[in-house]
Amino acid sequence: MYNIKYNEKGGRMMTNLMIKNILIEKRIYALYHANTVLTSCTFLEYGALLSRELVEKYGLRQTEQYSDHQDKILGVYGDLFFDSVDIANRIKAPNLYGPVVFEYSIDFIDGLQSDDIRITRDNPVHWWTGMNANKKYFYTEEELRREYRLGEFKQHFTVKNQSKGLGFKYLRRIILDDPGEKYQDIFNRAKERIEQFLYMNATNVRLEIRDVKRIQDEYATKSQDKIEKLFGV
């Protein structure tokens, strides 16, 4: 799993262990995946996080994203994306990817094959066809240690080649935003649905409700259609 490989510039490419050790150096002990309630329920029903490509392949339900077409062209439609922080908690505003957050211990990295985890330099929405791989990702231990910043939203951890999804062994908790009084009905349905899947699959993971007024105030400005897209089941 930890064989040394070299990038196109001749530098030593990172192993999974190197990546994990740098995270620990930077005091990053968890990674976060955010999504809509609909897609999250698909994960819970299946028993694993799935890439958008796998959900499509299996004929399961998921919320469309505006970047789907470009992601397919750029070869990241089959990747799982994580952030180094819980974005909604950090900015005290809704996460654009959805109100459900899966918090994973970084120990899940130990179970990945070599080259299955990469760290982007920028969000793939800013990539272009033919872009050099070294401009897309960090490839050496030195540059990751020097240039990676905790909470830099464009620097995503991507998990590739997960033919069966990423199971819940290292899942610490699930966080669900409470959008506030204006949208309590749809929130209650979403919460009930998630709890049903947790119970049905005997998942020993706690569901935490995020009840933050600044975030709720932002949800209150969104249209019914937008809330349905985020919280609908």
Side-chain angles (χ1 to χ4, degrees), residues 42-191:
T42 290
F43 296 160
L44 292 171
E45 184 176 21
Y46 188 82
L49 295 192
L50 302 170
S51 70
R52 303 185 63 72
E53 184 175 65
L54 274 182
V55 174
E56 183 178 281
K57 177 181 177 180
Y58 295 158
L60 304 174
R61 301 172 70 212
Q62 65 182 344
T63 306
E64 290 184 2
Q65 292 184 3
Y66 75 94
S67 63
D68 284 346
H69 178 68
Q70 182 179 0
D71 288 348
K72 292 177 181 179
I73 294 173
L74 295 172
V76 296
Y77 193 60
D79 296 359
L80 282 170
F81 282 75
F82 290 86
D83 295 294
S84 61
V85 296
D86 176 0
I87 291 177
N89 182 60
R90 186 177 180 88
I91 66 176
K92 296 300 185 287
N95 189 317
L96 297 178
Y97 291 102
V100 184
V101 178
F102 294 79
E103 179 185 289
Y104 272 77
S105 163
I106 61 170
D107 289 339
F108 83 84
I109 294 173
D110 296 337
L112 301 178
Q113 295 298 310
S114 180
D115 297 335
D116 277 1
I117 186 162
R118 297 183 184 179
I119 303 96
T120 67
R121 292 179 176 276
D122 200 353
N123 190 302
V125 298
H126 300 128
W127 294 358
W128 60 87
T129 304
M131 186 177 184
N132 188 287
N134 282 306
K135 294 186 181 297
K136 296 178 181 179
Y137 298 102
F138 292 104
Y139 272 112
T140 70
E141 188 178 10
E142 294 76 17
E143 64 187 13
L144 181 64
R145 180 175 284 111
R146 182 180 65 248
E147 299 176 34
Y148 185 80
R149 299 289 180 268
L150 172 65
E152 182 64 69
F153 299 155
K154 67 183 181 180
Q155 296 175 334
H156 302 286
F157 290 80
T158 67
V159 180
K160 308 181 80 68
N161 306 319
Q162 296 302 293
S163 59
K164 296 182 180 179
L166 182 65
F168 294 149
K169 178 179 180 181
Y170 296 105
L171 178 62
R172 288 177 166 180
R173 59 177 175 157
I174 298 172
I175 305 167
L176 172 64
D177 288 350
D178 179 343
E181 183 178 357
K182 181 178 179 181
Y183 293 117
Q184 274 303 289
D185 287 346
I186 189 171
F187 165 73
N188 288 332
R189 290 195 296 272
K191 178 174 177 287

Side-chain angles (χ1 to χ4, degrees), residues 158-223:
T158 67
V159 180
K160 308 181 80 68
N161 306 319
Q162 296 302 293
S163 59
K164 296 182 180 179
L166 182 65
F168 294 149
K169 178 179 180 181
Y170 296 105
L171 178 62
R172 288 177 166 180
R173 59 177 175 157
I174 298 172
I175 305 167
L176 172 64
D177 288 350
D178 179 343
E181 183 178 357
K182 181 178 179 181
Y183 293 117
Q184 274 303 289
D185 287 346
I186 189 171
F187 165 73
N188 288 332
R189 290 195 296 272
K191 178 174 177 287
E192 180 181 0
R193 190 65 168 158
I194 290 173
E195 289 175 336
Q196 285 176 349
F197 281 121
L198 288 174
Y199 177 77
M200 287 167 54
N201 294 323
T203 305
N204 188 29
V205 174
R206 68 185 187 274
L207 174 64
E208 295 186 7
I209 304 302
R210 193 198 324 267
D211 183 2
V212 177
K213 188 177 185 305
R214 280 181 58 183
I215 297 177
Q216 291 176 339
D217 288 345
E218 185 70 22
Y219 277 123
T221 68
K222 298 185 182 298
S223 68

